[in-house]
């Protein structure tokens, strides 16, 4: 069996917050990511989904080394990344790239597109100036931008076009894995589909794998073979896309799915809507037992007060896993 491209095991990221003791130790920790595990195979994609504040972006940033991990393991082709120095990270920076939510904030407004795209090529030592110029033009073509606009600045492009520049920058080093941190959520709905389609085309063309972060299941539906659902720093369900959409096993997944519009108007009119009450609780003071129990519509189906007492373990069965006390 071939090894997964990326293996994430029991990854945690806690942030110290609040006043410190006399010894300088934090008295409280925000448990943004709490024991998350998943694999990504080469050329395939995993969608990581959950409401704002569930820890999915922190998870992504910890994987790419923007935050040091508190504990756990991130392996890329078998190499442990969490213990690498800055210099040790360099070859992996090329192979693991990131696309950010806000394309405008992630591009330097003082640089032209040519300069923006030349930066990673120079950093990774990819070609002489003439070769790099040709590569920049082919990157622009690959993401559907006019190569004649190479000397323009980010403010001269629309939001969707700026995200295309961000994608071109991510492609510059010929990565194997791109971590997409809500790359379409700041864009108009009409543009979102174009960017998702582009990412799908690029994946086929360059044999890419994606870790695609989204708060909306509809966005990951067309792009990701597997979907993992996160709640308050933990994975609550992971399954192949078709199975998760056809038969969600965790009450939180069911609630998220019930908010996704259905293409058939007849089904759309009659299907059950599960409205989640309140917001995701603070990871500083998570609820006891199952973190989802204060909002769960199926809590009454579990005998006694097990849901508020006992944290459900993530149980694997075949291709799926779920953290819930329901039978
Ligand atoms: Fe709901 Fe209980 Fe399952 Fe948590 S363990 S999701 S509260 S049924």
């Amino acid at each position: 069996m071939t090894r997964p491209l990326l293996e994430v095991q029991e990854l945690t990221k806690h942030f110290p917050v609040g006043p410190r003791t006399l010894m300088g130790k934090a008295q409280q920790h925000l448990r943004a990511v709490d024991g998350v595990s998943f694999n990504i195979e080469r050329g395939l994609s995993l969608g990581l989904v959950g409401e704002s504040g569930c820890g999915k972006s922190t998870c992504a940033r910890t994987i790419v080394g923007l935050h040091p991990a508190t504990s756990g393991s991130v392996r890329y082709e078998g190499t442990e990344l969490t213990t690498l120095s800055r210099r040790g990270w360099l070859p992996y920076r090329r192979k693991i790239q990131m696309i950010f939510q806000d394309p405008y904030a992630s591009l330097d407004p003082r640089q032209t597109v040519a300069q923006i795209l030349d930066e990673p090529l120079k950093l990774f030592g990819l070609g002489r100036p003439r070769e790099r110029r040709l590569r920049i033009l082919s990157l622009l073509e690959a993401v559907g931008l006019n190569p004649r606009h190479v000397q323009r600045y980010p403010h001269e492009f629309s939001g969707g076009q700026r995200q295309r520049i961000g994608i071109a920058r991510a492609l510059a080093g010929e990565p194997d894995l791109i971590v997409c941190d809500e790359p379409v959520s700041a864009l108009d709905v009409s543009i979102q589909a174009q960017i998702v389609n582009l990412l799908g085309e690029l994946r086929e063309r360059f044999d890419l794998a994606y870790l695609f972060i989204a708060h909306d299941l509809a966005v990951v539906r067309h792009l990701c073979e597997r979907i993992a659902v996160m709640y308050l720093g933990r994975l609550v369900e992971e399954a192949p896309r078709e199975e998760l959409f056809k038969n969600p096993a965790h009450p939180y997944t069911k609630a998220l799915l019930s908010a996704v519009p259905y293409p058939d108007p007849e089904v759309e009119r009659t299907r059950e809507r599960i409205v989640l009450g309140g917001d995701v609780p603070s990871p500083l003071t998570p609820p006891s037992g199952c973190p989802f129990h204060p909002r769960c519509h199926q809590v009454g189906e579990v005998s006694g007060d097990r849901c508020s007492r006992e944290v459900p373990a993530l149980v694997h069965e075949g291709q799926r896993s779920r953290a819930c006390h329901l039978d």
Side-chain angles (χ1 to χ4, degrees):
M1 224 168 86
T2 52
R3 183 163 208 152
L5 183 66
L6 186 81
E7 296 164 276
V8 178
Q9 270 171 15
E10 288 297 318
L11 186 67
T12 65
K13 178 62 197 172
H14 298 172
F15 293 99
V17 288
R20 305 208 162 225
T21 63
L22 287 176
M23 303 298 286
K25 285 205 165 156
Q27 295 182 32
Q28 267 190 308
H29 284 89
L30 188 148
R31 301 162 79 94
V33 180
D34 214 2
V36 166
S37 304
F38 56 77
N39 292 339
I40 299 182
E41 310 291 334
R42 182 175 285 278
L44 298 181
S45 301
L46 176 80
L48 186 58
V49 179
E51 289 163 285
S52 298
C54 72
K56 53 194 189 304
S57 287
T58 305
C59 184
R61 286 169 169 264
T62 310
I63 288 169
V64 301
L66 294 178
H67 295 313
T70 305
S71 64
S73 160
V74 178
R75 286 206 172 88
Y76 175 81
E77 290 189 317
T79 302
E80 180 62 50
L81 299 181
T82 56
T83 50
L84 288 178
S85 63
R86 268 175 92 96
R87 183 185 276 265
W89 250 102
L90 195 59
Y92 300 99
R93 286 258 168 270
R94 185 178 162 196
K95 289 292 162 193
I96 308 174
Q97 281 288 315
M98 191 154 180
I99 302 170
F100 297 91
Q101 178 178 6
D102 183 347
Y104 199 59
S106 67
L107 301 174
D108 185 340
R110 294 159 304 178
Q111 288 189 318
T112 62
V113 173
Q115 290 167 323
I116 289 168
L117 298 183
D118 198 32
E119 222 167 53
L121 297 175
K122 277 200 283 199
L123 177 71
F124 301 129
L126 298 175
R128 295 166 180 275
R130 189 185 138 67
E131 291 157 345
R132 295 204 306 269
R133 269 199 300 279
L134 292 174
R135 173 101 179 108
I136 288 167
L137 299 182
S138 80
L139 282 168
L140 288 178
E141 246 164 337
V143 298
L145 288 174
N146 188 338
R148 280 187 306 197
H149 296 165
V150 70
Q151 292 305 333
R152 291 191 178 180
Y153 290 87
H155 74 266
E156 297 177 80
F157 294 90
S158 68
Q161 288 173 325
R162 286 198 285 259
Q163 195 53 293
R164 287 173 192 262
I165 299 169
I167 294 169
R169 182 178 56 184
L171 289 174
E174 299 176 341
D176 294 323
L177 171 69
I178 300 185
V179 176
C180 308
D181 186 10
E182 303 222 31
V184 298
S185 56
L187 303 174
D188 289 347
V189 176
S190 57
I191 309 294
Q192 287 187 2
Q194 292 175 15
I195 297 294
V196 169
N197 289 342
L198 172 67
L199 288 168
E201 286 164 22
L202 294 172
R203 186 176 76 154
E204 298 300 313
R205 185 165 164 191
F206 300 116
D207 194 25
L208 296 166
Y210 293 132
L211 170 59
F212 196 99
I213 313 287
H215 59 257
D216 182 351
L217 272 164
V219 170
V220 295
R221 184 176 202 155
H222 300 290
L223 203 57
C224 301
E225 287 80 13
R226 291 191 68 82
I227 297 176
V229 181
M230 203 167 166
Y231 188 78
L232 215 58
R234 294 164 180 263
L235 287 195
V236 295
E237 182 166 5
E238 195 205 335
R241 166 186 51 200
E242 289 78 16
E243 290 184 31
L244 187 119
F245 273 86
K246 215 183 316 155
N247 183 22
H250 193 281
Y252 181 56
T253 314
K254 290 179 197 172
L256 288 184
L257 260 180
S258 84
V260 175
Y262 210 79
D264 180 338
E266 192 56 37
V267 179
E268 176 68 14
R269 242 195 325 275
T270 52
R271 76 201 178 103
E272 188 195 4
R273 282 268 145 66
I274 303 162
V275 180
L276 279 174
D279 295 322
V280 180
S282 165
L284 265 178
T285 50
S288 60
C290 171
F292 187 54
H293 87 261
R295 305 171 79 197
C296 180
H297 61 285
Q298 288 187 270
V299 67
E301 296 173 33
V302 177
S303 59
D305 57 357
R306 196 170 170 214
C307 291
S308 58
R309 256 189 317 106
E310 202 184 308
V311 180
L314 192 69
V315 177
H316 305 276
E317 215 180 298
Q319 291 259 32
R320 308 186 62 154
S321 44
R322 178 186 79 156
C324 177
H325 295 313
L326 285 170
D327 290 329

